[in-house]
Amino acid sequence: MKICFVGAGALGSTIGGTLAKAGSEVWLIDQYQAHVDAINATGLRMLEGATETIARPKARTSAEGVGPADLIIVLVKSYHTRQAIEAASPIIGRETVVMSIQNGMGHEDILANVVGREKVLAGKTYVGGVLLSPGHVRVGVVGKETVIGELDGRVTDRVKRVAQEFNKAGLLTEVSDNIMGTIWDKLFINVATGAVSGITRLTYGVLYAVPEVEQTAIAAVQEAMDVARAAGVTVSFRDAKKAWMKAAEGLPHEFKTSMLQSLENGSPTEIDFINGSVVRWGEKTGVPTPVNRTLVALMKGIERGLPKR
């Protein structure tokens, strides 16, 4: 299967590299020139625990000359989704499937508006990654599941083929007939740690040692669960604390949330698509979301203080 990643930062490189090592034809498309050059020169170095392996995906800074893909996986920052999929038009063929496994909620609608709803799959993953340097990632793959599905809940041959390709590479993947419920489940995970980690600048290991942070995170997740229930979504989580605990499950203490990584890189975060989604859906359903609203406000303040690029 020819798989193109539109956005090949920490997570795109982790999943793409894992697929490439298993024999998939993988193209990593990312604007980070140094990262692309390093991958093409010496391969993608993947550090898991104390073991480092080399993957050999192909890397480009644009979709030009790559040719149509069987599967496009969108992993850019949420606020770049429309721009990225529009720029990916050279790799979108008649049979191409486009799938988002981005953090947060709302990307599928953006993709559907550009390529057509019939081409879009949705997914969520608990795989983790940290970009250590150009061409070098720390990966968290073992035991971290990925769930994918059709937007209308059908279990089709094409979604089963994608799952088979992932599982062949050791990426634990299942097909869901309730992918929107899965998206909410993953949103709970992102709500649990993303904003509190970005605001405090703490890695997972230290974050979980602060009781006040835990209480705030659990309250934010509970609001999100209340909103999902009011929206009529069927989710698997029944206990907000379980979402908080699952967020760091299997990850080393030094792992950083994507929000924290964004701030350290001087970039805006995906707060509008994560905690901001809870606030928007809370307004639609009439459910108060004061904790998430406060986290959004604080993160917006931090973003305002970032150096201008």
Side-chain angles (χ1 to χ4, degrees):
M1 183 178 286
K2 182 176 180 179
I3 305 174
C4 294
F5 284 77
V6 175
L11 186 55
S13 294
T14 293
I15 297 175
T18 302
L19 288 163
K21 286 194 294 182
S24 299
E25 180 185 348
V26 175
W27 294 75
L28 302 180
I29 301 172
D30 197 274
Q31 294 182 344
Y32 187 10
Q33 185 73 61
H35 187 49
V36 167
D37 290 344
I39 292 169
N40 288 329
T42 58
L44 176 65
R45 297 164 57 203
M46 304 180 68
L47 179 64
E48 185 157 19
T51 302
E52 185 164 288
T53 56
I54 304 292
R56 300 284 179 181
K58 299 171 184 178
R60 296 288 187 276
T61 54
S62 81
E64 295 294 336
V66 174
D70 298 312
L71 173 65
I72 295 172
I73 296 177
V74 180
L75 269 171
V76 295
K77 293 298 183 183
S78 298
Y79 43 82
H80 288 319
T81 300
R82 178 176 291 276
Q83 175 187 355
I85 196 61
E86 288 175 346
S89 59
I91 58 175
I92 302 174
R94 288 182 58 188
E95 303 300 321
T96 301
V97 176
V98 180
M99 181 170 73
S100 165
I101 49 176
Q102 295 156 281
N103 287 331
M105 184 178 294
H107 315 93
E108 294 75 24
D109 292 333
I110 296 173
L111 296 176
N113 286 339
V114 176
V115 304
R117 199 167 186 85
E118 71 282 355
K119 282 186 172 292
V120 179
L121 298 179
K124 289 298 169 186
T125 186
Y126 294 93
V127 170
V130 176
L131 187 62
L132 300 174
S133 62
H136 191 197
V137 290
R138 181 185 297 279
V139 307
V141 171
V142 176
K144 310 300 284 186
E145 69 264 33
T146 298
V147 183
I148 63 176
E150 296 279 1
L151 299 183
D152 61 7
R154 292 178 301 133
V155 179
T156 61
D157 288 340
R158 69 177 186 177
V159 75
K160 288 191 286 188
R161 283 195 298 271
V162 173
Q164 183 178 23
E165 194 80 2
F166 273 51
N167 281 311
K168 184 181 72 174
L171 293 160
L172 184 63
T173 304
E174 65 178 53
V175 175
S176 172
D177 60 3
N178 176 31
I179 195 61
M180 295 313 297
T182 300
I183 288 172
W184 275 95
D185 282 339
K186 181 61 192 296
L187 185 70
F188 300 153
I189 300 295
N190 296 139
V191 165
T193 58
V196 292
S197 174
I199 292 165
T200 62
R201 303 298 179 103
L202 298 177
T203 62
Y204 278 110
V206 187
L207 192 72
Y208 278 69
V210 184
E212 292 83 357
V213 169
E214 177 176 334
Q215 292 164 10
T216 300
I218 291 172
V221 175
Q222 186 60 59
E223 287 182 357
M225 292 174 65
D226 292 343
V227 169
R229 187 179 303 109
V233 180
T234 301
V235 298
S236 64
F237 282 106
R238 296 290 182 269
D239 181 350
K241 186 170 183 178
K242 287 185 177 178
W244 162 251
M245 297 308 297
K246 186 176 179 63
E249 192 175 88
L251 296 177
H253 282 194
E254 66 270 20
F255 249 59
K256 300 175 181 179
T257 65
S258 61
M259 279 201 202
L260 177 53
Q261 292 180 58
S262 293
L263 291 175
E264 290 183 342
N265 291 331
S267 302
T269 71
E270 296 174 304
I271 191 72
D272 286 330
F273 287 80
I274 299 175
N275 303 77
S277 290
V278 178
V279 173
R280 287 192 298 277
W281 275 95
E283 291 170 348
K284 291 179 184 178
T285 58
V287 177
T289 56
V291 177
N292 281 282
R293 191 177 293 275
T294 300
L295 293 173
V296 171
L298 292 173
M299 188 62 75
K300 291 286 189 179
I302 292 171
E303 289 178 347
R304 179 62 65 91
L306 292 174
K308 299 295 183 184
R309 286 188 156 191

